[in-house]
Amino acid sequence: MRTIAQYLPDHPFFAGLDEPTLALLAGCATNVSLAAGDFLFREGDPAARFFVVRRGRVAIELHDPAVGTVVIDSADAGDVVGWSWLVPPYRSIFDARAAEATGVVAFDGLCLRGKCEDDAHLGYELMQRVTQVMSERLMAAQVRLLDLYGARGTTDAATR
Amino acid sequence: MVPRLFRLVDRRQDTADTFTILLEPNDGVPLAFKPGQFTMLSAFGVGEVPISVSGDAHAAGPLQHTVRDVGAVTHALSRASVGDVLGVRGPYGTAWEVSDARPGGDVVFVAGGIGLAPLRPAVLEVLSHREDYGRVVVLYGSRSPDELLFTDELKAWESQGVEVLVTVDYGPATWTGRVGLVTTLVSRAGFDPMSTLALICGPEVMMRHTALALVARGVRSNHIRVSLERNMRCGVGLCGHCQYRELFVCVDGPVLPYAQVTGLLGLREV
């Protein structure tokens, strides 16, 4: 298995970052292995870390007392999980659980936030990348709000 | 325009609101069709609906339709029993023409919801000549795990060398599969964009976003085909119910090149 420093340059999230920045990021990161069912974070937890999935799958969940736990999104190898570490009040808003045996790179958000405070360029670079992830996930969530596959709007005359 | 009489010989409930019916012609003459075409199915005394054929175009046996119960006619069809006689007109419309990917081209099928049913005959056509195609990918999005269609077949297709990626809009805690938009699967699948023929069937918004994702991946827009859905009545281009600006979906479609309808998809009041 490649080291974190070897892995980061090939990942789209980190594409274009120079070597010193990648080294700095790698310095704030650790490899974590999770068994199926292990939580990366729970709703309401301090958002101290974000994750890049290397293998396996992470389920993003929301618990509703009326309907139970619902998986509202998932993240596979290559996906980034968690942006609350960069946005006040720095609290996780969902549960994130390993749906199967999963390997992630965990980044220390507190460490990175400190470095972003000191280095506005790094802060801007990371904010741009996190915003891209947020934007893609927001778009996907908004399209799903249409309930595309539901029967709404379907008639006998246009049924497939 | 006069329906032929077919007898219902078998029926399967696929999901809570979707079922498959198998029909044999009363006159013994099979109905030949191409993958992607539809028929006008009638429940006598109730009405007629356009339904794509979901069976194997090249196999002998009953005519197969997978139908979603969404209105009076489809509800009547859902209540039909073995032995009941239904009317069938057609087949009508254009076909997927998946063989255009031969020899050796990759084929990517992208289905949303009930959209897997009209694509199934094209998947089966590819599988019947598997050696003539390159990589074959099925990307399938559904509302929830219990609304997935043809789940046993999806596994069988995988064992025949098809990469099958499935996602749902949401799932229970016990669901360990993917959750998210079907468009997110486009970047995950293994295919060569430059040699790919992509066939998309699903809700129009889904097809629009999927086509954009395929183009962003590098698939040429004239190698993407979509199946449009409009209110149909006559099925033969006479009544105008399915008119889509200059197109009559029943005869010019339902399968159309994405390049031909790019500007129409999402156009308001068309």
Side-chain angles (χ1 to χ4, degrees), chain B residues 9-31:
Chain B
V9 294
D10 201 3
R11 183 193 184 286
R12 181 184 72 230
Q13 192 71 33
D14 298 304
T15 69
D17 65 358
T18 302
F19 57 96
T20 295
I21 49 176
L22 301 176
L23 306 170
E24 292 276 15
N26 276 6
D27 60 13
V29 180
L31 185 143

Side-chain angles (χ1 to χ4, degrees), chain A residues 84-101:
Chain A
S84 301
W85 66 278
L86 200 52
V87 184
Y90 310 116
R91 294 268 166 196
S92 299
I93 49 177
F94 302 116
D95 293 343
R97 182 178 54 84
E100 56 189 68

Side-chain angles (χ1 to χ4, degrees), chain B residues 5-229:
Chain B
L5 302 182
F6 279 68
R7 194 177 66 265
L8 197 153
V9 294
D10 201 3
R11 183 193 184 286
R12 181 184 72 230
Q13 192 71 33
D14 298 304
T15 69
D17 65 358
T18 302
F19 57 96
T20 295
I21 49 176
L22 301 176
L23 306 170
E24 292 276 15
N26 276 6
D27 60 13
V29 180
L31 185 143
F33 70 96
K34 288 178 163 184
Q37 289 191 298
F38 68 96
T39 71
M40 297 299 296
L41 275 183
S42 29
F44 293 113
V46 184
E48 197 177 37
V49 285
I51 305 287
S52 295
V53 184
S54 64
D56 189 340
H58 302 290
L63 180 66
Q64 178 172 326
H65 291 83
T66 300
V67 186
R68 190 171 193 190
D69 180 358
V70 291
V73 182
T74 47
H75 188 62
L77 293 172
S78 80
R79 294 174 64 85
S81 306
V82 171
D84 285 356
V85 173
L86 303 173
V88 178
R89 287 197 293 124
Y92 295 128
T94 53
W96 290 113
E97 306 293 359
V98 67
S99 60
D100 288 349
R102 295 160 84 172
D106 294 354
V107 185
V108 176
F109 299 93
V110 191
I114 187 81
L116 185 59
L119 279 171
R120 181 175 176 267
V123 176
L124 297 177
E125 181 175 328
V126 168
L127 290 177
S128 68
H129 300 91
R130 184 67 190 87
E131 65 285 358
D132 292 345
Y133 296 89
R135 282 168 287 193
V136 181
V137 174
V138 173
L139 310 179
Y140 178 29
S142 180
R143 195 187 200 191
S144 65
D146 56 7
E147 293 180 40
L148 289 167
L149 293 170
F150 309 119
T151 46
D152 291 341
E153 269 186 274
L154 293 173
K155 289 175 193 151
W157 293 348
E158 276 188 302
S159 69
Q160 292 172 267
V162 178
E163 182 181 5
V164 178
L165 302 181
V166 174
T167 188
V168 297
D169 279 353
Y170 59 89
T174 51
W175 171 251
T176 57
R178 289 183 185 79
V179 176
L181 261 191
V182 71
T183 52
T184 61
L185 302 179
V186 170
S187 62
R188 298 198 171 278
F191 60 88
D192 173 13
M194 291 307 290
S195 75
T196 288
L197 175 67
L199 311 178
I200 316 173
C201 190
E204 209 159 290
V205 173
M206 166 262 170
M207 291 198 292
R208 208 165 73 218
H209 283 270
T210 302
L212 289 172
L214 287 163
V215 169
R217 174 89 190 258
V219 179
R220 289 169 285 187
S221 62
N222 60 347
H223 285 207
I224 300 172
R225 292 171 190 162
V226 297
S227 180
L228 294 183
E229 193 174 49

Side-chain angles (χ1 to χ4, degrees), chain A residues 70-90:
Chain A
V70 179
V71 185
I72 55 169
D73 213 338
S74 65
D76 285 5
D79 288 338
V80 175
V81 177
W83 58 74
S84 301
W85 66 278
L86 200 52
V87 184
Y90 310 116

